[in-house]
Amino acid sequence: MFRYLLFLLFLLIPQVSFASVRLAVLEFQGAGIDPNLLQLLTDEVRTGIVHVTKGEKIKGEKLIIMTRENMMQVLKDQGLSAEDCVGECEVEIAKNIGADYVISGNVTKIGTLFALVVKLHSTADSNLLASESFKTKSAENLVNDSGKVGAKVFQEGLNLSPKQQNASAVSSGFQGGFSQEEDSDWVIKKGKSKGIVHFTSTPSGATVMMNGKLVCPSTPCKKNLVLGKHNISIQRERYFEWKEQVTLAKGTKVNAILKPTFGYFEVMSSFSGVSLFMNGNKLGKTPISRRELDPGRYNIRIKDNCYKGPEYRFELKPGDTEVVDYPIKQRQSGIDVSVVESNGDDVSAKVYVDGKPVGDSPEIFQVPLCSKEVTVVVRGNRIKQSLSLKEREVAKVEFRLPERKQTVSTTRAAPRRVERRSYGKGYETTFIRQGVFMMGCTLNDGDCQKSEKPRHEVTISHNFYMMKSEVTQGLYESLMGENPSQFKGCGIDCPVENVSWLDAVKMANKLSQKEGLETCYSISGADVSWYNKDCEGWRLPTEAEWEYAARGGENYKYAGSGTTRKVSWYSRNSTAQTHPVCRKALNGYGLCDMSGNVQEWVYDSWRGSYGFSTPESNPVYIDLSSSENVFRGGSWYNNAWSSRVSRREHNNAAYRSNSLGFRLLRAN
């Protein structure tokens, strides 16, 4: 938008009835030129025209130079604005305000050279009547000579004769004689003393005028000036003019604190990304950072499908700051959640909306209108449905569970303590009977932390086979086609490490597929579900199953002993590396390395403490709001304290470490 801010001139004359010629002077333009300099140039041209036209008549009519206020009012009455003009439209603007002639100017800067072009147009026929250019390397010279350029263009365009001084009378005749030569001594007359004056302003970048003349185009600056009393004016766009009579002396520092013609405002809110409108125009999305705003009255409203809030009104004055703490609320809806078995029975489930827990089903929940997803967790399974809600309406959301696969159990006559069986190549299993144990801090263990408490009773109501050792490098590579371990030099009988929780569940499914068993996990990217808790395939142990197996029916501090060294490769004896599995003593269930070699992933999500002391049966903890899973046991890297049976640690599902592996189990 080529913006003309109309800087207009006016001679204070009484209202008369005779015709007049009207002249408009438009604000000078210049890309990249300081607006304060352009304003000064316009002012100087106005002054130059006033001087040469005082008392003049144009075609026998009185010349009127229109004021800015008069011109803006005319445009307003016509429903127009100085911004309605695009391109070179001096004549169009002048016609809109009823002017007969129009002066316009343009400033260009190339390197250090300023070039000023002033033009005079007639609005009757749009003809260019006159133009003049002026070049200089000094902004000060540009301002001081612009008035002469403007006057010359006006006089030439309208064929006006320059005003001349009255000529002295010339006597007739001739009288001879000699001229008298000047023979007095030449001396320099002393003028007023001068000195360097330092001009600054807050903010900087202001124009300094002294006695109506340009001193410097931008503060800060230092100038050599005549000392004494002077009228100083310091101006900057969008700030009030600073004017004072100052007595200048050598070394004087003149600092102007400029007051803004605008104010500031900002918007804070408890919700981000909400669309706001000011006076009907789009303002932006919350929060709105501090910004300048012209004085006036304003209103702010929300226009957002997901949020609502009241209209906020305020009036801003120059220099004021308006901070709006906008009370935004989410638009509301509801969901009626139920979970149904394949036989039609209703079951209770944990309900999450967009990953946040809202309660247990069956229930009606009030939720934000723009909620995207509801998830239920039942028997350790996560089932999701997308949402498309209507404001102030309740939508019914039903989850139907797949038919549970019935398993036929066989009675095994197990030995008094353990039974070992080999399944395929590369691993050995131990049969572990169902039972009851005390989970958490080992009795009389003074080293326990909050995460290991409270000690509580847990029932494992099913038999299972657990791998005697951690999964070895050989077994992992034979199934997955790679060996991610750092300690490859240890050999294929050493535990695999540098595996994530996701790597472990994928390997469990691979082993089940190889052996023709049901796969226990549904895996989609990083999303893992365990739908059938009676699955016959291989899987990670739950945290409760792992600790039950590690304790081995005993109450030792470590897995199989009250002494670390006997059952564990840990920091004091590992020589900072892993070792082939099962080189240390077994625990009561015939399992090895559960207190050392590598730590082991389990299926559960992390929770900071057990949070209860009541008995549990087959517990498994799944929390959609947690991105971390648990791992248990000690490793070659850990000290004895970290190798205790009750010790718990955690990290995200993608975490890998050269001291972290896993072992698997399968249902009986």
Side-chain angles (χ1 to χ4, degrees):
M1 182 70 71
F2 189 88
R3 183 177 298 180
Y4 282 98
L5 298 175
L6 304 177
F7 190 90
L8 309 173
L9 316 167
F10 182 65
L11 292 175
L12 297 175
I13 61 174
Q15 296 296 318
V16 292
S17 60
F18 56 79
S20 60
V21 174
R22 298 163 70 87
L23 171 67
V25 179
L26 304 184
E27 180 74 7
F28 282 15
Q29 304 296 305
I33 305 299
D34 187 341
N36 293 319
L37 178 58
L38 294 173
Q39 182 177 342
L40 289 170
L41 293 171
T42 311
D43 189 45
E44 288 298 319
V45 168
R46 174 208 63 188
T47 303
I49 295 174
V50 169
H51 286 329
V52 301
T53 60
K54 187 174 293 185
E56 286 279 0
K57 287 188 177 182
I58 309 299
K59 298 180 181 179
E61 297 178 357
K62 189 69 175 181
L63 175 65
I64 294 178
I65 304 176
M66 301 174 66
T67 67
R68 176 180 184 274
E69 291 76 12
N70 287 346
M71 298 171 72
M72 293 302 290
Q73 185 60 47
V74 172
L75 286 173
K76 183 177 180 181
D77 292 342
Q78 297 179 12
L80 299 174
S81 166
E83 298 180 357
D84 292 332
C85 181
V86 178
E88 295 187 1
C89 52
E90 301 94 334
V91 174
E92 181 183 344
I93 285 288
K95 284 181 179 179
N96 285 332
I97 58 177
D100 300 293
Y101 299 98
V102 58
I103 288 282
S104 62
N106 188 273
V107 182
T108 306
K109 187 177 182 183
I110 304 174
T112 60
L113 182 68
F114 289 94
L116 169 64
V117 177
V118 180
K119 297 180 288 184
L120 174 68
H121 282 86
S122 167
T123 62
D125 52 15
S126 301
N127 284 339
L128 175 65
L129 302 180
S131 66
E132 184 75 19
S133 63
F134 172 72
K135 302 180 181 64
T136 179
K137 290 187 177 181
S138 168
E140 184 174 352
N141 291 341
L142 188 68
V143 173
N144 292 337
D145 292 338
S146 56
K148 299 175 184 177
V149 176
K152 182 179 179 182
V153 169
F154 186 77
Q155 288 176 321
E156 289 182 354
L158 297 180
N159 296 317
L160 300 178
S161 299
K163 289 189 174 182
Q164 299 180 357
Q165 300 291 332
N166 291 329
S168 58
V170 179
S171 59
S172 61
F174 173 80
Q175 185 176 2
F178 291 100
S179 64
Q180 295 183 358
E181 291 189 17
E182 184 178 346
D183 58 0
S184 59
D185 292 336
W186 179 81
V187 294
I188 297 176
K189 295 181 180 180
K190 290 187 177 180
K192 294 182 179 180
S193 60
K194 302 179 73 176
I196 295 177
V197 180
H198 187 191
F199 294 96
T200 59
S201 68
T202 304
S204 60
T207 300
V208 180
M209 303 286 293
M210 186 173 79
N211 302 327
K213 298 294 183 179
L214 178 67
V215 173
C216 60
S218 181
T219 56
C221 60
K222 295 180 180 180
K223 292 295 179 179
N224 183 15
L225 302 172
V226 174
L227 304 181
K229 288 186 178 181
H230 297 281
N231 294 319
I232 305 297
S233 170
I234 299 180
Q235 307 167 27
R236 192 179 191 275
E237 189 179 17
R238 291 179 60 76
Y239 288 84
F240 290 107
E241 180 184 12
W242 182 93
K243 294 179 68 174
E244 278 192 20
Q245 188 178 73
V246 180
T247 301
L248 301 182
K250 290 184 178 181
T252 297
K253 293 183 178 180
V254 179
N255 180 50
I257 306 298
L258 303 180
K259 296 182 179 180
T261 60
F262 55 87
Y264 296 95
F265 90 107
E266 61 182 287
V267 180
M268 301 186 300
S269 172
S270 55
F271 294 96
S272 61
V274 180
S275 298
L276 295 180
F277 286 72
M278 175 180 282
N279 292 355
N281 298 316
K282 189 170 183 180
L283 178 62
K285 294 186 177 182
T286 57
I288 306 295
S289 58
R290 178 182 170 95
R291 63 178 65 173
E292 295 179 5
L293 186 65
D294 290 331
R297 294 182 179 180
Y298 297 91
N299 66 76
I300 299 176
R301 290 196 65 89
I302 288 178
K303 291 186 180 180
D304 195 284
N305 294 331
C306 301
Y307 301 90
K308 62 181 180 178
E311 181 181 27
Y312 182 85
R313 297 186 181 93
F314 66 97
E315 182 175 1
L316 191 68
K317 296 180 180 180
D320 286 353
T321 298
E322 185 77 13
V323 179
V324 184
D325 190 358
Y326 204 102
I328 297 175
K329 294 182 179 180
Q330 291 179 301
R331 299 182 185 274
Q332 295 295 302
S333 183
I335 52 175
D336 182 358
V337 181
S338 60
V339 182
V340 183
E341 291 273 22
S342 59
N343 62 4
D345 291 341
D346 289 311
V347 296
S348 180
K350 295 287 184 184
V351 181
Y352 297 79
V353 174
D354 291 340
K356 297 180 180 179
V358 295
D360 296 336
S361 71
E363 185 61 86
I364 298 176
F365 304 100
Q366 183 169 323
V367 297
L369 172 64
C370 293
S371 301
K372 296 179 180 179
E373 184 179 75
V374 59
T375 304
V376 296
V377 178
V378 54
R379 297 194 299 269
N381 301 321
R382 288 178 281 187
I383 311 173
K384 301 177 181 179
Q385 281 193 37
S386 59
L387 293 174
S388 179
L389 304 177
K390 295 182 179 180
E391 190 171 8
R392 299 181 178 232
E393 293 185 13
V394 177
K396 188 171 181 61
V397 182
E398 182 179 88
F399 292 84
R400 299 197 69 88
L401 301 180
E403 184 176 357
R404 299 180 67 181
K405 183 176 179 179
Q406 300 296 319
T407 58
V408 179
S409 60
T410 57
T411 303
R412 284 181 170 83
R416 181 173 59 87
R417 301 234 18 211
V418 298
E419 174 187 342
R420 298 190 186 93
R421 295 183 63 182
S422 176
Y423 282 84
K425 181 180 179 181
Y427 65 91
E428 187 177 353
T429 62
T430 296
F431 176 74
I432 300 177
R433 286 190 178 278
Q434 64 187 37
V436 179
F437 77 109
M438 296 303 294
M439 187 173 182
C441 184
T442 305
L443 192 64
N444 300 322
D445 184 355
D447 292 331
C448 292
Q449 292 187 311
K450 179 182 178 180
S451 62
E452 304 168 36
K453 298 177 181 179
R455 192 166 185 259
H456 59 288
E457 181 181 293
V458 171
T459 297
I460 303 297
S461 63
H462 52 274
N463 304 329
F464 57 90
Y465 287 97
M466 178 174 271
M467 287 186 176
K468 180 180 177 181
S469 72
E470 298 107 343
V471 171
T472 63
Q473 295 183 30
L475 176 59
Y476 189 90
E477 186 169 9
S478 68
L479 289 167
M480 306 302 288
E482 62 176 356
N483 181 7
S485 303
Q486 177 176 318
F487 299 110
K488 292 184 177 68
C490 178
I492 61 173
D493 290 331
C494 289
V496 68
E497 17 86 8
N498 268 335
V499 286
S500 68
W501 184 87
L502 290 169
D503 294 332
V505 297
K506 290 176 182 178
M507 190 268 191
N509 274 2
K510 277 276 191 179
L511 183 57
S512 297
Q513 291 169 351
K514 179 181 179 181
E515 297 182 356
L517 301 172
E518 175 189 3
T519 56
C520 292
Y521 301 120
S522 174
I523 304 173
S524 176
D527 192 7
V528 178
S529 297
W530 175 22
Y531 290 109
N532 181 13
K533 294 301 180 292
D534 297 325
C535 169
E536 293 181 344
W538 291 99
R539 60 178 175 84
L540 285 174
T542 66
E543 190 172 9
E545 288 170 334
W546 188 94
E547 187 170 329
Y548 176 66
R551 290 196 178 277
E554 302 160 328
N555 194 39
Y556 289 124
K557 195 172 184 177
Y558 307 100
S561 175
T563 303
T564 318
R565 185 177 296 273
K566 184 178 179 181
V567 294
S568 173
W569 294 110
Y570 71 117
S571 59
R572 295 286 296 275
N573 65 1
S574 68
T575 63
Q577 65 178 37
T578 58
H579 292 264
V581 299
C582 292
R583 298 293 176 89
K584 293 291 185 179
L586 307 178
N587 76 348
Y589 287 159
L591 303 171
C592 65
D593 295 336
M594 298 195 82
S595 281
N597 223 355
V598 291
Q599 295 178 292
E600 301 173 21
W601 285 113
V602 298
Y603 188 77
D604 297 58
S605 302
W606 168 254
R607 52 182 167 178
S609 67
Y610 296 114
F612 53 84
S613 56
T614 55
E616 283 193 299
S617 179
N618 304 316
V620 56
Y621 182 69
I622 300 173
D623 183 3
L624 294 181
S625 63
S626 172
S627 61
E628 299 191 328
N629 293 83
V630 180
F631 51 88
R632 301 294 299 266
S635 77
W636 64 266
Y637 175 80
N638 297 113
N639 58 20
W641 177 80
S642 296
S643 302
R644 296 173 298 111
V645 172
S646 60
R647 171 69 174 154
R648 307 172 65 226
E649 294 192 54
H650 59 99
N651 216 310
N652 65 68
Y655 173 71
R656 292 180 173 86
S657 169
N658 61 8
S659 62
L660 180 58
F662 65 100
R663 75 177 73 209
L664 302 175
L665 63 73
R666 57 160 296 188
N668 176 23

